[in-house]
């Protein structure tokens, strides 16, 4: 909506542009003042038209009169200040700049419309409405251009006598694109569907696999709930073991017939993995295990945000690390399993890089070895944060990995808001300590 405050800001901004352009004439000749004033009114018309089409109504014909109100008032004042042919001259420039900006609007709109049948400036309007008013109109666009996918989602169910259970579920969709739009708040959406504590680490997926709307989370919840029907519980697990291939480190543990794999490249950049990389590793693993839960720890923001794509050197490092685990873990001895969990809400906001789920921790003990799986609801971590938290955990457990959900609820415009950017890791450690004590 075009509120009074927004209208006033637009008018003030255009006045500022008009004054600057008009006074520029004085650097050339005072006789050029009427010309530059008329040019400034034409530019004001064009700017207002562009802004109003973008934020109020993308239909240009409806916006011409509101856009022209300020410049027409300026022409009326110019007729008093500059008698003679000023009116005709200014009117011609209004038409010239008006048509020029209409062509600009068409040029902006055309590519998206030809490709997706979407009005580009209508899309921009919905984006601004999301930023300013929390509108979810963007989801209507995503539904139009979205495509159906079928992906594996592996869930480990833990039940504990007279205590809260745990669901560790790995959806191979992306928790984006931003804020509450689409799957941006996937971890909280998954938690709302179950009474147990739900940990939702990041699977192998890029922004290609963003959910088109928040309602799509219900499909994931229903799929996990439906998989309860044929559950077989086991009281044993292997010790956790870590495999290294190049820059890729893989923490693995077997629970009955399921292999859990947590991958990271920290302290090197650890970002989104293409779905096909994770799918390939899972497919290879099926020769040894019926179920493979492959997690991208997503825990080191270092430089530009880039994906790991198939057939690259990094992809092969992930693949060969996975092969090592798939070949060696089936024969590992099984031990009695113990589990402790904790869910700690943090005193930090989304703007500081923390999502609604805060910190979750699961400590697994098997064969006199304890392993901590630490999950922060956020979009990646500043370089070094994972190492600091992991080293702290290793003071009380034998093995540990620190992950983020990659939740984009912490992002609105920029994708850069990693854990540790706004809150020093020294302030996060007390929350980690509380979760560790509770889980132990």
């Amino acid at each position: 909506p075009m509120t009074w405050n927004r209208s006033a800001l637009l008018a003030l901004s255009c006045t500022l542009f008009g004054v600057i352009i008009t006074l520029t004439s004085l650097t050339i000749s005072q006789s050029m003042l009427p010309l530059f004033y008329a040019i400034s009114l034409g530019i004001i018309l064009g700017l207002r038209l562009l802004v109003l089409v973008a934020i109020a109504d993308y239909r240009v014909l409806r916006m011409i009169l509101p856009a022209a109100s300020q410049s027409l008032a300026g022409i009326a004042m110019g007729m008093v200040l500059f008698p003679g042919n000023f009116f005709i001259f200014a009117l011609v420039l209004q038409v010239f700049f008006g048509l020029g900006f209409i062509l600009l609007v068409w040029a902006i709109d055309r590519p998206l419309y030809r490709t997706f049948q979407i009005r580009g400036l209508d899309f921009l309007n919905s984006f601004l409405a999301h930023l300013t008013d929390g509108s979810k109109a963007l989801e209507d666009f995503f539904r139009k251009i979205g495509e159906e996918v079928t992906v594996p989602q592996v869930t480990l169910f833990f039940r504990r006598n007279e205590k809260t259970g745990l669901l560790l579920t790995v959806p191979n969709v992306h928790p984006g694109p931003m804020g509450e739009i689409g799957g941006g708040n996937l971890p909280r959406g998954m938690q709302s569907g179950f009474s147990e504590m739900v940990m939702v680490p990041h699977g192998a997926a890029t922004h290609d696999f963003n959910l088109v709307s928040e309602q799509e989370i219900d499909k994931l919840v229903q799929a996990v709930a439906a998989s309860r029907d044929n559950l077989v519980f086991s009281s044993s697990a292997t010790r956790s073991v870590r495999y290294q291939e190049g820059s890729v480190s893989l923490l693995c543990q077997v629970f009955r017939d399921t292999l859990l794999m947590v991958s990271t490249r920290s302290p090197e950049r650890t970002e989104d993995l293409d779905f096909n990389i994770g799918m390939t590793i899972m497919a290879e693993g099926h020769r040894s295990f019926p179920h493979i839960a492959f997690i991208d720890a997503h825990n080191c923001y270092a430089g530009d945000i880039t994906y790991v794509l198939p057939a690259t050197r990094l992809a092969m490092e992930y693949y060969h690390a996975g092969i090592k685990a798939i070949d060696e873990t089936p024969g590992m001895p099984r031990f009695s399993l113990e589990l402790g969990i904790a869910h700690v809400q943090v005193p930090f906001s989304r703007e500081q890089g923390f999502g609604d789920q805060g910190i979750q921790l699961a400590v697994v003990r098997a064969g006199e070895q304890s392993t901590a799986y630490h999950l922060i609801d956020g979009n990646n971590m500043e370089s070094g944060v994972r190492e600091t938290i992991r080293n702290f955990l290793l003071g009380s457990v034998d093995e540990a990995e620190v992950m983020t959900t990659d939740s984009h609820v912490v992002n609105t415009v920029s994708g850069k808001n990693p854990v540790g950017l706004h809150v020093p890791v020294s302030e996060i450690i007390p929350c980690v300590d509380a979760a560790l004590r509770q889980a132990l």
Side-chain angles (χ1 to χ4, degrees), residues 173-178 202 205-211 271-274 298 305 307 379 406 408 411 415:
V173 296
H174 194 268
M178 59 194 170
H202 189 224
T206 64
H207 277 272
D208 290 342
F209 282 13
N210 284 329
L211 303 184
E271 260 292 345
D272 293 347
L273 288 174
D274 187 89
H298 206 266
I305 298 174
Y307 302 152
N379 183 357
D406 194 23
H408 278 51
N411 305 110

PDB file of all heavy atoms in Angstrom, residues 173-178 202 205-211 271-274 298 305 307 379 406 408 411 415:
ATOM      1  N   VAL A 173      15.622 -31.010   0.627  1.00  0.00           N
ATOM      2  CA  VAL A 173      15.106 -29.770   0.045  1.00  0.00           C
ATOM      3  C   VAL A 173      15.840 -28.625   0.721  1.00  0.00           C
ATOM      4  O   VAL A 173      16.523 -28.820   1.724  1.00  0.00           O
ATOM      5  CB  VAL A 173      13.580 -29.627   0.236  1.00  0.00           C
ATOM      6  CG1 VAL A 173      12.834 -30.724  -0.508  1.00  0.00           C
ATOM      7  CG2 VAL A 173      13.201 -29.639   1.716  1.00  0.00           C
ATOM      8  N   HIS A 174      15.694 -27.440   0.178  1.00  0.00           N
ATOM      9  CA  HIS A 174      16.460 -26.296   0.685  1.00  0.00           C
ATOM     10  C   HIS A 174      15.568 -25.391   1.534  1.00  0.00           C
ATOM     11  O   HIS A 174      14.477 -25.026   1.101  1.00  0.00           O
ATOM     12  CB  HIS A 174      17.041 -25.495  -0.490  1.00  0.00           C
ATOM     13  CG  HIS A 174      18.091 -24.522  -0.083  1.00  0.00           C
ATOM     14  ND1 HIS A 174      17.821 -23.217   0.230  1.00  0.00           N
ATOM     15  CD2 HIS A 174      19.434 -24.665   0.078  1.00  0.00           C
ATOM     16  CE1 HIS A 174      18.933 -22.594   0.549  1.00  0.00           C
ATOM     17  NE2 HIS A 174      19.929 -23.452   0.477  1.00  0.00           N
ATOM     18  N   PRO A 175      16.015 -25.025   2.731  1.00  0.00           N
ATOM     19  CA  PRO A 175      15.202 -24.177   3.618  1.00  0.00           C
ATOM     20  C   PRO A 175      15.304 -22.700   3.253  1.00  0.00           C
ATOM     21  O   PRO A 175      15.846 -21.885   3.998  1.00  0.00           O
ATOM     22  CB  PRO A 175      15.785 -24.460   5.002  1.00  0.00           C
ATOM     23  CG  PRO A 175      17.209 -24.813   4.730  1.00  0.00           C
ATOM     24  CD  PRO A 175      17.253 -25.490   3.389  1.00  0.00           C
ATOM     25  N   GLY A 176      14.807 -22.352   2.084  1.00  0.00           N
ATOM     26  CA  GLY A 176      14.859 -20.971   1.602  1.00  0.00           C
ATOM     27  C   GLY A 176      13.567 -20.647   0.880  1.00  0.00           C
ATOM     28  O   GLY A 176      12.610 -21.405   0.942  1.00  0.00           O
ATOM     29  N   PRO A 177      13.498 -19.488   0.203  1.00  0.00           N
ATOM     30  CA  PRO A 177      14.628 -18.620  -0.144  1.00  0.00           C
ATOM     31  C   PRO A 177      14.966 -17.552   0.891  1.00  0.00           C
ATOM     32  O   PRO A 177      16.105 -17.152   1.023  1.00  0.00           O
ATOM     33  CB  PRO A 177      14.143 -17.946  -1.426  1.00  0.00           C
ATOM     34  CG  PRO A 177      12.659 -17.880  -1.266  1.00  0.00           C
ATOM     35  CD  PRO A 177      12.269 -19.133  -0.527  1.00  0.00           C
ATOM     36  N   MET A 178      13.949 -17.093   1.687  1.00  0.00           N
ATOM     37  CA  MET A 178      14.252 -16.015   2.630  1.00  0.00           C
ATOM     38  C   MET A 178      13.091 -15.846   3.590  1.00  0.00           C
ATOM     39  O   MET A 178      11.926 -16.114   3.265  1.00  0.00           O
ATOM     40  CB  MET A 178      14.479 -14.693   1.890  1.00  0.00           C
ATOM     41  CG  MET A 178      13.290 -14.269   1.070  1.00  0.00           C
ATOM     42  SD  MET A 178      13.691 -12.984  -0.091  1.00  0.00           S
ATOM     43  CE  MET A 178      12.174 -12.969  -1.061  1.00  0.00           C
ATOM     44  N   HIS A 202      20.859 -29.951   7.457  1.00  0.00           N
ATOM     45  CA  HIS A 202      20.759 -29.639   6.036  1.00  0.00           C
ATOM     46  C   HIS A 202      21.128 -30.857   5.191  1.00  0.00           C
ATOM     47  O   HIS A 202      22.168 -31.475   5.407  1.00  0.00           O
ATOM     48  CB  HIS A 202      21.720 -28.493   5.722  1.00  0.00           C
ATOM     49  CG  HIS A 202      21.585 -27.922   4.350  1.00  0.00           C
ATOM     50  ND1 HIS A 202      22.656 -27.628   3.543  1.00  0.00           N
ATOM     51  CD2 HIS A 202      20.497 -27.593   3.640  1.00  0.00           C
ATOM     52  CE1 HIS A 202      22.229 -27.136   2.397  1.00  0.00           C
ATOM     53  NE2 HIS A 202      20.915 -27.112   2.429  1.00  0.00           N
ATOM     54  N   ALA A 205      21.033 -30.144  -1.106  1.00  0.00           N
ATOM     55  CA  ALA A 205      20.086 -29.372  -1.918  1.00  0.00           C
ATOM     56  C   ALA A 205      20.561 -27.933  -2.012  1.00  0.00           C
ATOM     57  O   ALA A 205      21.123 -27.386  -1.059  1.00  0.00           O
ATOM     58  CB  ALA A 205      18.680 -29.418  -1.318  1.00  0.00           C
ATOM     59  N   THR A 206      20.328 -27.323  -3.167  1.00  0.00           N
ATOM     60  CA  THR A 206      20.623 -25.907  -3.382  1.00  0.00           C
ATOM     61  C   THR A 206      19.304 -25.148  -3.485  1.00  0.00           C
ATOM     62  O   THR A 206      18.227 -25.700  -3.280  1.00  0.00           O
ATOM     63  CB  THR A 206      21.435 -25.708  -4.670  1.00  0.00           C
ATOM     64  OG1 THR A 206      20.619 -26.111  -5.788  1.00  0.00           O
ATOM     65  CG2 THR A 206      22.702 -26.560  -4.661  1.00  0.00           C
ATOM     66  N   HIS A 207      19.395 -23.871  -3.844  1.00  0.00           N
ATOM     67  CA  HIS A 207      18.188 -23.042  -3.954  1.00  0.00           C
ATOM     68  C   HIS A 207      17.240 -23.524  -5.051  1.00  0.00           C
ATOM     69  O   HIS A 207      16.085 -23.104  -5.085  1.00  0.00           O
ATOM     70  CB  HIS A 207      18.576 -21.576  -4.203  1.00  0.00           C
ATOM     71  CG  HIS A 207      18.920 -20.839  -2.947  1.00  0.00           C
ATOM     72  ND1 HIS A 207      17.985 -20.199  -2.171  1.00  0.00           N
ATOM     73  CD2 HIS A 207      20.109 -20.652  -2.323  1.00  0.00           C
ATOM     74  CE1 HIS A 207      18.564 -19.636  -1.126  1.00  0.00           C
ATOM     75  NE2 HIS A 207      19.863 -19.895  -1.198  1.00  0.00           N
ATOM     76  N   ASP A 208      17.711 -24.405  -5.934  1.00  0.00           N
ATOM     77  CA  ASP A 208      16.802 -25.001  -6.915  1.00  0.00           C
ATOM     78  C   ASP A 208      15.670 -25.753  -6.229  1.00  0.00           C
ATOM     79  O   ASP A 208      14.590 -25.907  -6.795  1.00  0.00           O
ATOM     80  CB  ASP A 208      17.567 -25.990  -7.812  1.00  0.00           C
ATOM     81  CG  ASP A 208      18.518 -25.277  -8.753  1.00  0.00           C
ATOM     82  OD1 ASP A 208      18.346 -24.063  -8.952  1.00  0.00           O
ATOM     83  OD2 ASP A 208      19.426 -25.932  -9.288  1.00  0.00           O
ATOM     84  N   PHE A 209      15.938 -26.229  -4.994  1.00  0.00           N
ATOM     85  CA  PHE A 209      14.965 -27.055  -4.282  1.00  0.00           C
ATOM     86  C   PHE A 209      14.308 -26.293  -3.129  1.00  0.00           C
ATOM     87  O   PHE A 209      13.902 -26.898  -2.134  1.00  0.00           O
ATOM     88  CB  PHE A 209      15.638 -28.330  -3.759  1.00  0.00           C
ATOM     89  CG  PHE A 209      15.843 -29.382  -4.826  1.00  0.00           C
ATOM     90  CD1 PHE A 209      15.704 -29.074  -6.159  1.00  0.00           C
ATOM     91  CD2 PHE A 209      16.180 -30.678  -4.491  1.00  0.00           C
ATOM     92  CE1 PHE A 209      15.898 -30.019  -7.157  1.00  0.00           C
ATOM     93  CE2 PHE A 209      16.368 -31.653  -5.466  1.00  0.00           C
ATOM     94  CZ  PHE A 209      16.227 -31.310  -6.803  1.00  0.00           C
ATOM     95  N   ASN A 210      14.199 -24.973  -3.247  1.00  0.00           N
ATOM     96  CA  ASN A 210      13.399 -24.217  -2.284  1.00  0.00           C
ATOM     97  C   ASN A 210      11.935 -24.637  -2.376  1.00  0.00           C
ATOM     98  O   ASN A 210      11.420 -24.895  -3.468  1.00  0.00           O
ATOM     99  CB  ASN A 210      13.485 -22.713  -2.574  1.00  0.00           C
ATOM    100  CG  ASN A 210      14.790 -22.112  -2.124  1.00  0.00           C
ATOM    101  OD1 ASN A 210      15.395 -22.553  -1.157  1.00  0.00           O
ATOM    102  ND2 ASN A 210      15.233 -21.074  -2.817  1.00  0.00           N
ATOM    103  N   LEU A 211      11.257 -24.669  -1.239  1.00  0.00           N
ATOM    104  CA  LEU A 211       9.819 -24.919  -1.270  1.00  0.00           C
ATOM    105  C   LEU A 211       9.114 -23.680  -1.822  1.00  0.00           C
ATOM    106  O   LEU A 211       9.521 -22.553  -1.550  1.00  0.00           O
ATOM    107  CB  LEU A 211       9.304 -25.222   0.135  1.00  0.00           C
ATOM    108  CG  LEU A 211       9.966 -26.402   0.864  1.00  0.00           C
ATOM    109  CD1 LEU A 211       9.293 -26.646   2.201  1.00  0.00           C
ATOM    110  CD2 LEU A 211       9.934 -27.655   0.018  1.00  0.00           C
ATOM    111  N   GLU A 271      29.488 -25.136   1.904  1.00  0.00           N
ATOM    112  CA  GLU A 271      28.223 -24.536   1.452  1.00  0.00           C
ATOM    113  C   GLU A 271      27.314 -25.612   0.860  1.00  0.00           C
ATOM    114  O   GLU A 271      27.562 -26.803   1.010  1.00  0.00           O
ATOM    115  CB  GLU A 271      28.504 -23.427   0.420  1.00  0.00           C
ATOM    116  CG  GLU A 271      28.451 -22.030   1.007  1.00  0.00           C
ATOM    117  CD  GLU A 271      27.061 -21.598   1.436  1.00  0.00           C
ATOM    118  OE1 GLU A 271      26.068 -22.240   1.035  1.00  0.00           O
ATOM    119  OE2 GLU A 271      26.956 -20.620   2.199  1.00  0.00           O
ATOM    120  N   ASP A 272      26.263 -25.174   0.184  1.00  0.00           N
ATOM    121  CA  ASP A 272      25.266 -26.089  -0.363  1.00  0.00           C
ATOM    122  C   ASP A 272      25.882 -27.114  -1.320  1.00  0.00           C
ATOM    123  O   ASP A 272      26.698 -26.778  -2.176  1.00  0.00           O
ATOM    124  CB  ASP A 272      24.184 -25.312  -1.120  1.00  0.00           C
ATOM    125  CG  ASP A 272      23.341 -24.454  -0.201  1.00  0.00           C
ATOM    126  OD1 ASP A 272      23.429 -24.640   1.023  1.00  0.00           O
ATOM    127  OD2 ASP A 272      22.595 -23.602  -0.709  1.00  0.00           O
ATOM    128  N   LEU A 273      25.442 -28.362  -1.160  1.00  0.00           N
ATOM    129  CA  LEU A 273      25.825 -29.432  -2.070  1.00  0.00           C
ATOM    130  C   LEU A 273      24.696 -29.671  -3.066  1.00  0.00           C
ATOM    131  O   LEU A 273      23.524 -29.705  -2.680  1.00  0.00           O
ATOM    132  CB  LEU A 273      26.060 -30.735  -1.301  1.00  0.00           C
ATOM    133  CG  LEU A 273      27.301 -30.851  -0.429  1.00  0.00           C
ATOM    134  CD1 LEU A 273      27.249 -32.152   0.348  1.00  0.00           C
ATOM    135  CD2 LEU A 273      28.558 -30.800  -1.271  1.00  0.00           C
ATOM    136  N   ASP A 274      25.032 -29.837  -4.314  1.00  0.00           N
ATOM    137  CA  ASP A 274      24.018 -30.177  -5.298  1.00  0.00           C
ATOM    138  C   ASP A 274      23.369 -31.517  -4.931  1.00  0.00           C
ATOM    139  O   ASP A 274      24.031 -32.438  -4.445  1.00  0.00           O
ATOM    140  CB  ASP A 274      24.663 -30.274  -6.684  1.00  0.00           C
ATOM    141  CG  ASP A 274      23.641 -30.460  -7.784  1.00  0.00           C
ATOM    142  OD1 ASP A 274      23.149 -29.451  -8.311  1.00  0.00           O
ATOM    143  OD2 ASP A 274      23.333 -31.628  -8.100  1.00  0.00           O
ATOM    144  N   HIS A 298      27.152 -27.722   6.658  1.00  0.00           N
ATOM    145  CA  HIS A 298      26.904 -26.314   6.313  1.00  0.00           C
ATOM    146  C   HIS A 298      27.416 -25.397   7.419  1.00  0.00           C
ATOM    147  O   HIS A 298      26.693 -24.575   7.968  1.00  0.00           O
ATOM    148  CB  HIS A 298      25.392 -26.114   6.096  1.00  0.00           C
ATOM    149  CG  HIS A 298      25.063 -24.973   5.178  1.00  0.00           C
ATOM    150  ND1 HIS A 298      24.786 -23.711   5.639  1.00  0.00           N
ATOM    151  CD2 HIS A 298      24.938 -24.919   3.835  1.00  0.00           C
ATOM    152  CE1 HIS A 298      24.516 -22.915   4.622  1.00  0.00           C
ATOM    153  NE2 HIS A 298      24.607 -23.625   3.508  1.00  0.00           N
ATOM    154  N   ILE A 305      29.478 -17.128  -1.540  1.00  0.00           N
ATOM    155  CA  ILE A 305      28.573 -18.270  -1.454  1.00  0.00           C
ATOM    156  C   ILE A 305      28.576 -18.989  -2.797  1.00  0.00           C
ATOM    157  O   ILE A 305      28.184 -18.434  -3.819  1.00  0.00           O
ATOM    158  CB  ILE A 305      27.147 -17.809  -1.097  1.00  0.00           C
ATOM    159  CG1 ILE A 305      27.136 -17.124   0.279  1.00  0.00           C
ATOM    160  CG2 ILE A 305      26.179 -18.981  -1.110  1.00  0.00           C
ATOM    161  CD1 ILE A 305      25.808 -16.512   0.648  1.00  0.00           C
ATOM    162  N   TYR A 307      28.034 -23.067  -4.738  1.00  0.00           N
ATOM    163  CA  TYR A 307      27.568 -24.442  -4.592  1.00  0.00           C
ATOM    164  C   TYR A 307      28.697 -25.411  -4.923  1.00  0.00           C
ATOM    165  O   TYR A 307      29.624 -25.087  -5.651  1.00  0.00           O
ATOM    166  CB  TYR A 307      26.401 -24.729  -5.538  1.00  0.00           C
ATOM    167  CG  TYR A 307      25.194 -23.835  -5.361  1.00  0.00           C
ATOM    168  CD1 TYR A 307      24.348 -23.563  -6.437  1.00  0.00           C
ATOM    169  CD2 TYR A 307      24.883 -23.273  -4.127  1.00  0.00           C
ATOM    170  CE1 TYR A 307      23.234 -22.748  -6.288  1.00  0.00           C
ATOM    171  CE2 TYR A 307      23.780 -22.458  -3.963  1.00  0.00           C
ATOM    172  CZ  TYR A 307      22.953 -22.196  -5.044  1.00  0.00           C
ATOM    173  OH  TYR A 307      21.856 -21.396  -4.898  1.00  0.00           O
ATOM    174  N   ASN A 379      21.972 -19.906   9.312  1.00  0.00           N
ATOM    175  CA  ASN A 379      22.460 -20.071   7.945  1.00  0.00           C
ATOM    176  C   ASN A 379      23.983 -19.965   7.925  1.00  0.00           C
ATOM    177  O   ASN A 379      24.537 -18.888   7.772  1.00  0.00           O
ATOM    178  CB  ASN A 379      21.841 -19.025   7.028  1.00  0.00           C
ATOM    179  CG  ASN A 379      22.249 -19.201   5.569  1.00  0.00           C
ATOM    180  OD1 ASN A 379      23.041 -20.075   5.244  1.00  0.00           O
ATOM    181  ND2 ASN A 379      21.723 -18.377   4.697  1.00  0.00           N
ATOM    182  N   ASP A 406      20.801 -24.244   7.982  1.00  0.00           N
ATOM    183  CA  ASP A 406      20.741 -23.425   6.766  1.00  0.00           C
ATOM    184  C   ASP A 406      19.401 -22.711   6.649  1.00  0.00           C
ATOM    185  O   ASP A 406      18.971 -22.332   5.553  1.00  0.00           O
ATOM    186  CB  ASP A 406      21.008 -24.254   5.508  1.00  0.00           C
ATOM    187  CG  ASP A 406      21.278 -23.374   4.287  1.00  0.00           C
ATOM    188  OD1 ASP A 406      21.679 -22.206   4.493  1.00  0.00           O
ATOM    189  OD2 ASP A 406      21.061 -23.813   3.152  1.00  0.00           O
ATOM    190  N   HIS A 408      16.795 -20.039   6.232  1.00  0.00           N
ATOM    191  CA  HIS A 408      16.887 -18.701   5.655  1.00  0.00           C
ATOM    192  C   HIS A 408      15.921 -17.718   6.301  1.00  0.00           C
ATOM    193  O   HIS A 408      15.699 -16.630   5.776  1.00  0.00           O
ATOM    194  CB  HIS A 408      16.645 -18.770   4.147  1.00  0.00           C
ATOM    195  CG  HIS A 408      17.872 -19.170   3.383  1.00  0.00           C
ATOM    196  ND1 HIS A 408      18.609 -20.276   3.709  1.00  0.00           N
ATOM    197  CD2 HIS A 408      18.490 -18.613   2.303  1.00  0.00           C
ATOM    198  CE1 HIS A 408      19.631 -20.380   2.859  1.00  0.00           C
ATOM    199  NE2 HIS A 408      19.583 -19.393   2.012  1.00  0.00           N
ATOM    200  N   ASN A 411      17.542 -14.492   6.908  1.00  0.00           N
ATOM    201  CA  ASN A 411      17.906 -13.671   5.751  1.00  0.00           C
ATOM    202  C   ASN A 411      16.675 -12.999   5.161  1.00  0.00           C
ATOM    203  O   ASN A 411      15.628 -13.614   5.040  1.00  0.00           O
ATOM    204  CB  ASN A 411      18.563 -14.526   4.656  1.00  0.00           C
ATOM    205  CG  ASN A 411      19.761 -15.296   5.167  1.00  0.00           C
ATOM    206  OD1 ASN A 411      19.723 -16.509   5.286  1.00  0.00           O
ATOM    207  ND2 ASN A 411      20.823 -14.587   5.498  1.00  0.00           N
ATOM    208  N   GLY A 415      22.069 -12.967   1.603  1.00  0.00           N
ATOM    209  CA  GLY A 415      22.223 -14.330   2.094  1.00  0.00           C
ATOM    210  C   GLY A 415      23.326 -14.447   3.128  1.00  0.00           C
ATOM    211  O   GLY A 415      23.603 -15.539   3.614  1.00  0.00           O
TER     212      GLY A 415
END
